[in-house]
Amino acid sequence: MRGEGRIAYLNARLLDPASGLDATGALLIEDGRIADFGAHLFRTGAPSVNEVVDCKGMVLAPGLIDVRVQLREPGAEHKETIETGCAAAAAGGVTTMVCLPNTDPPVDDVSVLEFIARRSRELKRSKVFGYAALTKGLEGKEITEIGLLRAAGAVAFTDGERALADAKVMKRALAYGQTFDALIVQHPLEASLSAGGVMNQGELSTRLGLAGVPKVAETIQVERDLRLLESTGGRLHFAHVTAPAALEAIRRAKADGLDVTCDTAPHYFALNENAVGDYRSFAKVMPPLRAEADRQALVEAIADGVVDIVASDHCPHDQDSKRLPFEQAEFGVIGLQTLLPMTLELYHNGHLSLLDAAALLTARPAARFGLPGGRLMRGAAADLVLFDPDKPWTVSEEDMLSKSKNTAFGDRPVQGKVLRTVVDGRPLYRADGF
Amino acid sequence: MSPDRGIDFSHRHLLGIDGLSPADINLILDLADSYVEQSRRVDKKSTLLSGLTVINLFFENSTRTRTSFEAAAKRLDADVINMAVSTSSIKKGETLIDTAMTLNAMHPDVLVVRHGDSGAVQLLADKVDGAVINAGDGRHEHPTQALLDALTIRRRIGRLDNLTVAICGDIAHSRVARSNIHLLQIMGARVRVIAPPTLLPSAIDRMGVEVFTDMRKGLAGVDIVMMLRLQLERMQGSFVPSVREYFRFFGLDREMLACAKPDALIMHPGPMNRGVEIDSELADDIDRSLIRDQVEMGVAVRMAALDVLTRPLRAAGAAGGLEPGGAA
């Protein structure tokens, strides 16, 4: 693969949500960094470069940042490895990932964090950053060494797929974390109300005879944590919010000036609970897919800016973990390769401009999680995605490059195709003709 | 009553009542009437299923239902194999689909399956060549129980339509309740559910039933009172505080029954908790209680189910086509 020296991307639709740029122009990469870009570039004469890429009018944007993925390494390499996850990321236009600490062993210690960072450096693929566990062993009892882990590169702190239930521990984490400017990420589900539940609580769960998780389990956890944030200070982020009342609480808290943000995942705004009808375990996720009215409220909250970020919540599971009776199957779906087209649905359906849709995947996560990239900037690493926002294709399990194929979007027709993914100037993925 | 042997059942499996038509249900009930007569003879056996293999695959302990299916299959001369799969062997790593594929290789013609997880029987049915009868899956469905309840009512009262049936007790955790709600409504009966709110599943009213949390009010004008078993472990989960409180407000005794129609009848899928959900002496009152009839009708309905599900296979066999046990 080439990618050395000076590379010119010509005839591109430059899209930079951070600055609001949406214009035809060119971009020059020099030794892996963005040397220059804009409508003015190369307007006169052919550039003197090592390589020219004709973008054919397609969108050239900052590489996507996915702040919630599980790469399963170390501990569950039969489901995914950092390498296979990076292959899926490249095909999905994702140049930066932040992976959850629920590995085996969990990332509650500097050494595990350094292992992940080293694997990422060696692979030279999409950039992998790590969350650290918020509590030791993800057990919800004692906070981890937030200062040391932060110094070792932990982007944020969370107990992953477990809600931090103990109010006192959460209060102390928010308070103590302020010294290190630590972002605390909560999986907002009140544990006793959600225990045993496998899908949204409502008519469908009653018909299917499955135990439900009520929306109020999410709302209660969000409201409690917002009260703690209000009294203690700190920086708080809620992962994959699904409940309208929880979104409303976050909206109010933002208006009151609290330092709070939230994300959601494509399956929550693109699917509803009917996807689990017929006991389809590939649509089994936690929190569960909600009712259609809730899905619509979530789309509105994204359009209104209450939801700051879209993350894939990429959660690979092998066949043996999914092809089980619904109640026994694992929670979670993969999402790295569908993150872009699913988010573009919000644009195609008229809920967001293309710039705003892209911001959910670039500038906003970069700003909140303090990550490099996410914007077009001279001197910055050339982490880019070139995509056709309109091209239709159909999602299929066979095309998923993850080691696990548990997509919830199998056979779904989508629009928006990645043509080229570039990290540090090197193309990691190229569609035919690009 | 003379069942029309020319009408075919329109489903390959019997996985639930939801999705059946009144014609499907009447076909089974009409046939079951004839099997009641057969079962009352000294020689109870016919040779309808000779040469066919029925496997009873029970992932949950059940003596009553398994015995009922076994008696039904044997009266039709099928070869019956009982498999009780303890949950521990499942934990050793064999998945439900592995089990299904293993059994499928033995060419069973009918698999009767009970499993503790909702939807598990359907998952298994998708993987095997024979017909599958759901003998209860989690909280989802227990279709032969609803059919035997319907047969019991129809034989005593003569119809299913224009009756008001109250289903009382632990609706939330009950597959019997769900199958009965579907069947009774398909056949034109009105259904009420009566339980404390903690034992009602969410949005149950969306299934077309009337919901009562006061048993006296709920029983007013009712023709049939179906009691459900209260699992005693519900006391631990804060569903109900105690047995004595439950019996006081949701148990059925003569005084409570007096709120229903004067000739209202009592049913219970068994096994009963005497003194928890139903007064012991009332349960045994043959003028009011249909509980023993239900057990008898269970065998007949299961014979009818085995009959209709094996018809395509038997027809092909008679024409010299498919071998028994082969893929239909």
Side-chain angles (χ1 to χ4, degrees):
Chain A
M1 231 172 238
R2 299 173 68 182
E4 302 296 313
R6 284 161 59 89
I7 310 164
Y9 282 74
L10 303 183
N11 189 26
R13 179 176 171 189
L14 297 168
L15 193 76
D16 181 36
S19 64
L21 173 72
D22 182 358
T24 302
L27 183 143
L28 177 66
I29 298 174
E30 216 168 79
D31 297 329
R33 299 197 162 266
I34 299 173
D36 200 1
F37 65 95
H40 63 281
L41 200 59
F42 306 130
R43 205 173 255 172
T44 54
S48 154
V49 294
N50 304 76
E51 188 185 349
V52 170
V53 179
D54 180 3
C55 298
K56 301 173 186 168
M58 296 301 154
V59 174
L60 186 62
L64 310 185
I65 297 174
D66 190 342
V67 296
R68 194 174 176 86
V69 300
Q70 298 183 52
L71 298 182
R72 302 289 188 215
E73 189 179 344
E77 289 85 351
H78 61 294
K79 297 189 178 195
E80 190 84 287
T81 62
I82 294 175
E83 188 167 6
T84 56
C86 281
V94 175
T95 56
T96 297
M97 291 181 273
V98 187
C99 55
L100 289 183
N102 56 343
T103 46
D104 183 15
V107 188
D108 60 357
D109 183 274
V110 168
S111 62
V112 190
L113 196 61
E114 285 176 343
F115 163 80
I116 292 166
R118 196 184 69 238
R119 291 284 292 132
S120 173
R121 278 196 309 276
E122 288 167 358
L123 284 168
K124 294 191 182 343
R125 307 280 295 175
S126 297
K127 293 165 184 172
V128 182
F129 294 85
Y131 287 92
L134 182 51
T135 65
K136 289 173 188 163
L138 307 169
E139 285 173 355
K141 296 188 182 117
E142 301 166 53
I143 58 171
T144 51
E145 295 165 323
I146 291 177
L148 292 175
L149 287 160
R150 189 92 174 95
V155 168
F157 295 81
T158 183
D159 279 353
E161 293 178 300
R162 292 187 196 168
L164 180 52
D166 189 310
K168 187 175 274 180
V169 176
M170 177 55 102
K171 184 173 166 61
R172 289 189 175 149
L174 284 166
Y176 185 80
Q178 291 173 51
T179 311
F180 307 101
D181 202 26
L183 181 65
I184 309 295
V185 177
Q186 174 71 301
H187 168 86
L189 276 175
E190 202 283 322
S192 66
L193 285 173
S194 53
V198 295
M199 68 168 292
N200 185 42
Q201 187 176 80
E203 181 189 353
L204 189 60
S205 67
T206 292
R207 285 181 180 276
L208 292 174
L210 294 171
V213 176
K215 284 179 282 179
V216 71
E218 180 175 310
T219 308
I220 284 176
Q221 193 69 60
V222 164
E223 290 188 334
R224 184 204 75 173
D225 290 338
L226 288 173
R227 291 291 181 191
L228 292 173
L229 182 69
E230 187 179 29
S231 67
T232 307
R235 303 173 64 216
L236 182 61
H237 178 85
F238 292 110
H240 46 49
V241 178
T242 65
L247 290 163
E248 191 49 42
I250 293 166
R251 183 198 309 270
R252 282 197 309 271
K254 284 181 168 184
D256 292 344
L258 296 188
D259 189 353
V260 62
T261 48
C262 69
D263 70 69
T264 196
H267 36 278
Y268 297 116
F269 63 74
L271 298 173
N272 64 29
E273 61 181 346
N274 293 330
V276 306
D278 263 359
Y279 302 99
R280 191 165 178 272
S281 63
F282 274 35
K284 182 181 176 185
V285 289
M286 187 56 65
L289 301 178
R290 298 295 186 186
E292 176 58 15
D294 305 322
R295 187 195 70 79
Q296 290 177 14
L298 180 59
V299 169
E300 272 177 40
I302 296 169
D304 292 353
V306 176
V307 175
D308 303 87
I309 293 166
V310 171
S312 72
D313 207 6
H314 180 80
C315 184
H317 281 298
D318 55 335
Q319 297 272 330
D320 290 348
S321 308
K322 277 291 192 182
R323 299 225 186 268
L324 289 170
F326 192 87
E327 290 165 82
Q328 293 174 27
E330 295 277 2
F331 292 102
V333 297
I334 56 169
L336 281 164
Q337 279 173 264
T338 45
L339 179 63
L340 178 66
M342 296 315 301
T343 305
L344 288 175
E345 274 194 7
L346 298 169
Y347 156 67
H348 290 295
N349 293 340
H351 301 292
L352 291 176
S353 68
L354 187 59
L355 270 173
D356 287 341
L360 293 164
L361 305 173
T362 56
R364 296 245 202 109
R368 184 57 171 167
F369 283 75
L371 294 162
R375 61 184 305 169
L376 299 181
M377 196 166 61
R378 286 175 192 86
D383 295 350
L384 304 164
V385 60
L386 179 68
F387 66 93
D388 179 342
D390 300 318
K391 184 161 178 71
W393 57 288
T394 301
V395 180
S396 92
E397 287 176 25
E398 295 83 69
D399 294 340
M400 298 292 116
L401 299 182
S402 279
K403 201 175 246 189
S404 298
K405 312 296 181 192
N406 54 311
T407 175
F409 298 118
D411 299 328
R412 186 181 180 104
V414 295
Q415 270 182 282
K417 194 150 181 53
V418 174
L419 302 171
R420 209 180 234 253
T421 304
V422 179
V423 170
D424 289 331
R426 289 170 290 113
L428 299 181
Y429 173 84
R430 295 164 68 168
D432 288 345
F434 289 88
Chain B
M1 218 172 294
S2 152
D4 181 352
R5 304 254 170 194
I7 298 175
D8 278 332
F9 191 62
S10 53
H11 305 269
R12 198 179 134 211
H13 305 297
L14 179 59
L15 300 178
I17 299 296
D18 192 15
L20 297 188
S21 66
D24 292 327
I25 292 165
N26 279 324
L27 174 67
I28 293 177
L29 297 184
D30 293 349
L31 270 175
D33 270 323
S34 72
Y35 287 122
V36 173
E37 304 316 314
Q38 179 179 330
S39 296
R40 287 177 178 173
R41 297 199 308 248
V42 176
D43 178 4
K44 300 172 178 59
K45 200 143 173 166
S46 64
T47 57
L48 195 72
L49 299 193
S50 290
L52 301 189
T53 301
V54 175
I55 298 184
N56 288 325
L57 178 61
F58 278 61
F59 294 88
E60 267 188 350
N61 289 332
S62 159
T63 309
R64 302 161 55 99
T65 306
R66 203 217 64 221
T67 306
S68 180
F69 271 107
E70 185 175 353
K74 284 185 168 165
R75 276 179 200 172
L76 297 174
D77 204 30
D79 294 316
V80 183
I81 301 167
N82 288 314
M83 262 191 79
V85 188
S86 70
T87 41
S88 64
S89 68
I90 294 295
K91 280 181 183 143
K92 281 177 190 160
E94 188 174 72
T95 66
L96 179 65
I97 291 174
D98 290 336
T99 308
M101 298 316 290
T102 302
L103 292 179
N104 197 46
M106 300 177 194
H107 300 295
D109 301 290
V110 182
L111 275 165
V112 177
V113 186
R114 168 168 289 191
H115 197 286
D117 289 331
S118 301
V121 178
Q122 182 182 319
L123 180 67
L124 186 143
D126 292 342
K127 304 288 172 192
V128 299
D129 300 315
V132 174
I133 299 177
N134 180 2
D137 65 323
R139 309 169 181 186
H140 178 224
E141 284 239 37
H142 189 358
T144 57
Q145 178 71 45
L147 287 162
L148 77 87
D149 289 341
L151 183 65
T152 306
I153 297 169
R154 204 177 77 165
R155 286 175 68 94
R156 177 65 76 102
I157 300 180
R159 66 174 202 279
L160 291 167
D161 57 323
N162 291 313
L163 293 175
T164 301
V165 181
I167 306 175
C168 311
D170 189 358
I171 312 288
H173 302 92
S174 175
R175 54 196 172 211
V176 174
R178 284 171 178 76
S179 287
N180 265 312
I181 288 169
H182 289 303
L183 188 146
L184 291 165
Q185 294 192 136
I186 291 167
M187 301 308 287
R190 288 176 298 274
V191 182
R192 299 177 180 180
V193 295
I194 306 174
T198 45
L199 295 178
L200 287 169
S202 61
I204 183 72
D205 55 306
R206 301 279 290 272
M207 288 182 74
V209 298
E210 274 187 278
V211 181
F212 291 87
T213 56
D214 179 324
M215 188 144 172
R216 288 169 195 281
K217 288 180 186 158
L219 288 183
V222 158
D223 298 287
I224 305 279
V225 185
M226 279 187 184
M227 300 304 297
L228 297 174
R229 178 181 171 80
L230 182 74
Q231 305 283 345
L232 295 178
E233 59 263 30
R234 303 289 170 237
M235 303 305 152
Q236 271 94 58
S238 281
F239 291 99
V240 289
S242 71
V243 167
R244 67 175 185 182
E245 178 156 319
Y246 185 78
F247 187 73
R248 169 80 169 70
F249 294 100
F250 294 96
L252 190 67
D253 56 15
R254 286 200 185 276
E255 191 197 332
M256 191 68 91
L257 185 61
C259 300
K261 278 190 182 167
D263 53 352
L265 297 166
I266 307 163
M267 302 177 78
H268 193 299
M272 285 181 280
N273 288 310
R274 291 172 183 268
V276 176
E277 68 260 353
I278 189 162
D279 175 73
S280 189
E281 179 261 337
L282 184 58
D284 297 330
D285 179 349
I286 53 166
D287 293 329
R288 306 300 296 272
S289 168
L290 297 174
I291 296 170
R292 258 178 282 177
D293 297 9
Q294 288 174 273
V295 178
E296 183 187 4
M297 295 309 125
V299 178
V301 148
R302 287 161 184 139
M303 290 168 82
L306 289 167
D307 181 344
V308 297
L309 289 174
T310 56
R311 279 181 180 186
L313 186 64
R314 287 185 282 118
L322 287 174
E323 294 293 314

